[in-house]
Amino acid sequence: MSDDNSELSARQRDEARAALQRDLPFALSPSGSFPSPEGGPDLLATSDIVVEAQQIAAVARYLRASLNYIYLSNITAVDLLAHGCFELVYHFYRLSGGPALTIKTRLPREKPELPSLTPFWPGAAFQEREAYDLFGIVFKGHPDLRRIYMWDEFEGFPMRKDFVRQGDKYLSE
Amino acid sequence: MPSDDAVQSDLEQQGVFFSTLNRFYNWGRRSSVWPMAFGLACCAIEMMATGLSRYDLARFGAELFRASPRQADLMIVAGTVTKKMVPQVVRLYNQMPEPRYVISMGACATSGGPFRDGYNVVRGIDLYIPVDVYVPGCPPRPEALLHALMTLQSQIDRQNLKQVRWYGKKARPQSQDFPVPSYGPHGLEIDGKLVDPVGSLPLISSYSSPMEGEQRRDQIEHPELVRVFPDMERELREETSASYAEALEGEDQHVRR
């Protein structure tokens, strides 16, 4: 069962990649735009579709309009500190069923800015606010980008890997 | 006193009841401890189970979960208390009429539990309000909460009308409002001072619980102990990179096949 699902997932991914290659070739991200650290595992290696961050809105609208991925299920962020980038992961579904389509995009840690999807998917508002609250990722065009979990007075972005470590167990360092 | 009790139960069997005012009064209070309907996390599910028919908190006179702090005697802090929630918890506690009691239910409310080293959970609600009974467990079973209630009842039994802090003219500590912490850039503040700052040693509760109403601030738990914490992260890091490498290799093979 899971094999069928992963096959279906791979087929969906390849179809979407081919469609993007055909219609939005400038949006696909060339591999190796962020350097991998020496010796460590290459966390950027992936079989998922990786797109240019500034084109994410165009890609998402294309997926909805032309490929029928009308349900944006999830937006989340990963802090790849050693690679100097944030990775944003978007999951899209078709309402007719089938596995999720995963779209990834990478941002430099120094200036994590990319277009918001909230003007097109109002349901993205809270998830983008969460990524802003915990990772400090700025979604340009978001109508109401403020903290959602932490209080407004809070300083810093606690899910970043370089956020100050807390608690008794670090005291001996 | 034990001999008195023996005489008393002897007489009670024959239908004669003697009591002191104190005992009679405490009996009345212990038999109708009304908790507040107030839950914060998964412990609240166990609290609800305790109130329902299988465990039946009504047997101990505590079945009336009040929706208003004004009518409640007992606050069961059931679950993880996030820093964002603390001002509301303290406000609710301040709104309860005295005598009022607090049960800290579960590991999170007592010490922060598994979230102790995180950025958003307080290291024990007892830094902000006095706690009468602590219940260990994650979450505690309903039996444990019942035992906590019975412990609280025996504490109420031992209280002396003349000495409790909420009667009499003399102003006593802890009968006024408790300070409501405010949100600061690095955590919760009282009077502009950070309470239990992150990365610091754990503090002892600011309020000793029941009757004396002693208050203290900024005292460290067991300051005489030398604290050495293992570097749990180094091994974790190595493990993670190893498993990542394996996973990546596996993925390559999958692609090749």
Side-chain angles (χ1 to χ4, degrees):
Chain A
M1 190 66 196
S2 65
D3 278 347
D4 289 355
N5 210 26
S6 70
E7 264 175 39
L8 191 58
S9 179
R11 198 163 66 235
Q12 271 196 7
R13 189 176 63 220
D14 295 342
E15 284 169 11
R17 198 198 304 275
L20 283 170
Q21 193 77 57
R22 190 179 64 238
D23 293 333
L24 291 174
F26 52 89
L28 286 177
S29 184
S31 58
S33 45
F34 287 96
S36 293
E38 289 293 315
D42 185 12
L43 303 176
L44 295 181
T46 177
S47 52
D48 289 316
I49 301 173
V50 182
V51 302
E52 289 290 339
Q54 302 312 317
Q55 301 296 333
I56 186 65
V59 170
R61 290 168 72 186
Y62 175 77
L63 290 178
R64 179 164 72 172
S66 304
L67 302 184
N68 204 25
Y69 287 98
I70 62 174
Y71 177 43
L72 171 58
S73 160
N74 182 36
I75 302 174
T76 189
V78 185
D79 186 0
L80 300 171
L81 182 61
H83 298 69
C85 71
F86 290 117
E87 185 172 73
L88 268 88
V89 185
Y90 294 74
H91 288 108
F92 294 90
Y93 281 89
R94 286 174 167 147
L95 283 193
S96 53
L101 178 70
T102 309
I103 302 287
K104 291 180 176 172
T105 180
R106 277 116 192 207
L107 294 167
R109 282 186 106 253
E110 303 79 45
K111 193 166 179 285
E113 285 186 5
L114 81 170
S116 167
L117 295 192
T118 309
F120 320 112
W121 273 280
F126 278 13
Q127 307 208 16
E128 291 186 341
R129 277 178 65 189
E130 181 180 352
Y132 167 71
D133 188 358
L134 302 180
F135 288 93
I137 290 161
V138 177
F139 292 90
K140 287 179 293 184
H142 193 291
D144 183 26
L145 194 64
R146 42 189 183 93
R147 288 190 178 276
I148 186 168
Y149 292 144
M150 307 304 286
W151 49 96
D152 292 338
E153 295 87 349
F154 189 77
E155 275 177 15
F157 302 107
M159 294 295 274
R160 286 191 180 186
K161 297 284 184 205
D162 54 358
F163 187 75
V164 58
R165 290 192 292 176
Q166 344 217 347
D168 335 344
K169 77 178 177 202
Y170 301 117
L171 284 175
S172 62
E173 292 177 11
Chain B
M1 281 308 269
S3 59
D4 281 2
D5 281 347
V7 173
Q8 192 148 8
S9 60
D10 238 20
L11 286 168
E12 279 175 13
Q13 280 166 14
Q14 296 165 35
V16 181
F17 291 89
F18 280 109
S19 183
T20 61
L21 181 62
N22 204 52
R23 186 163 181 249
F24 179 66
Y25 186 82
N26 282 341
W27 169 76
R29 288 196 310 125
R30 77 186 308 268
S31 309
S32 64
V33 180
W34 289 0
M36 186 157 63
F38 171 69
L40 295 173
C42 34
C43 283
I45 306 295
E46 300 295 306
M47 184 176 73
M48 289 177 231
T50 316
L52 294 177
S53 51
R54 187 176 180 93
Y55 295 97
D56 200 11
L57 202 61
R59 290 176 293 158
F60 305 92
E63 77 279 21
L64 280 179
F65 277 87
R66 306 309 294 182
S68 160
R70 306 278 183 205
Q71 300 167 352
D73 307 301
L74 168 65
M75 174 189 257
I76 303 176
V77 184
T80 315
V81 193
T82 56
K83 286 178 181 167
K84 211 173 175 182
M85 192 67 188
V86 171
Q88 285 81 325
V89 175
V90 177
R91 275 207 188 90
L92 285 171
Y93 181 76
N94 281 341
Q95 289 172 8
M96 287 164 66
E98 291 205 297
R100 53 193 174 186
Y101 304 96
V102 177
I103 288 178
S104 163
M105 182 182 181
C108 294
T110 304
S111 70
F115 313 110
R116 187 177 172 83
D117 291 325
Y119 57 92
N120 62 340
V121 173
V122 295
R123 294 197 274 185
I125 190 61
D126 57 5
L127 291 169
Y128 302 91
I129 53 177
V131 173
D132 295 87
V133 182
Y134 298 88
V135 192
C138 185
R141 299 261 319 158
E143 292 93 328
L145 187 58
L146 285 180
H147 184 256
L149 181 73
M150 289 156 73
T151 310
L152 181 67
Q153 286 180 330
S154 71
Q155 284 183 11
I156 294 175
D157 275 340
R158 285 199 301 273
Q159 289 186 339
N160 188 334
L161 261 171
K162 288 181 192 159
Q163 287 169 6
V164 289
R165 64 175 188 267
W166 43 84
Y167 295 124
K169 287 176 189 158
K170 202 169 71 177
R172 299 207 167 119
Q174 289 193 24
S175 41
Q176 73 279 24
D177 276 0
F178 280 65
V180 179
S182 56
Y183 300 125
H186 299 111
L188 291 167
E189 295 174 349
I190 290 179
D191 303 331
K193 193 163 176 289
L194 213 56
V195 186
D196 199 25
V198 292
S200 70
L201 286 164
L203 295 181
I204 210 162
S205 165
S206 308
Y207 311 99
S208 74
S209 96
M211 275 163 290
E212 292 78 11
E214 179 197 349
Q215 288 192 16
R216 58 202 161 189
R217 277 281 167 79
D218 306 328
Q219 284 189 18
I220 294 169
E221 280 177 10
H222 301 294
E224 74 282 3
L225 291 181
V226 180
R227 286 156 198 272
V228 180
F229 298 97
D231 182 6
M232 300 159 79
E233 280 214 330
R234 187 180 302 135
E235 287 169 23
L236 200 68
R237 269 198 300 272
E238 281 161 10
E239 269 174 36
T240 329
S241 11
S243 65
Y244 260 121
E246 273 171 33
L248 286 177
E249 275 169 26
E251 199 168 294
D252 286 348
Q253 282 165 10
H254 186 73
V255 170
R256 261 182 260 131
R257 253 189 282 134

